[in-house]
Amino acid sequence: MALSGSLSHSVGSDFAIRMAPLRKSRAAENIGGGFLGFAEMLREWEHSAGHRDNLLMAGARRVGVASVGNPTSP
């Protein structure tokens, strides 16, 4: 996403296609950009019904987190 300059659940390929090799019945993805840091982004997700549902997904056992700075920044 950082290299493409686009914030989208379908960058690279559709989310469902990217998750298919994991063979999991449930998966979720929260993405965000333009925040000062992870804590600010997490607060926004907590106040968004859909993102909050993802964070609190029943039966979730694994979480992955990635962060990247703006590659086009000087």
Side-chain angles (χ1 to χ4, degrees), residues 52-67:
R52 185 173 176 81
D53 288 348
N54 288 346
L55 294 171
L56 300 175
M57 181 183 289
R61 293 187 201 116
R62 296 181 185 178
V63 175
V65 177
S67 177

Side-chain angles (χ1 to χ4, degrees), residues 1 7 11-13 15 18-19 22 25 27-29 34 38 40-44 52 56-57 59 67 72 74:
M1 287 184 210
L7 187 66
V11 169
S13 67
F15 176 70
R18 290 185 282 121
M19 295 299 106
L22 300 177
S25 60
E29 176 179 60
F38 181 75
E40 181 184 354
M41 185 175 60
L42 181 58
R43 279 191 299 275
E44 291 297 318
R52 185 173 176 81
L56 300 175
M57 181 183 289
S67 177
T72 60

Side-chain angles (χ1 to χ4, degrees), residues 1-17:
M1 287 184 210
L3 291 176
S4 74
S6 175
L7 187 66
S8 169
H9 292 283
S10 60
V11 169
S13 67
D14 184 70
F15 176 70
I17 292 170

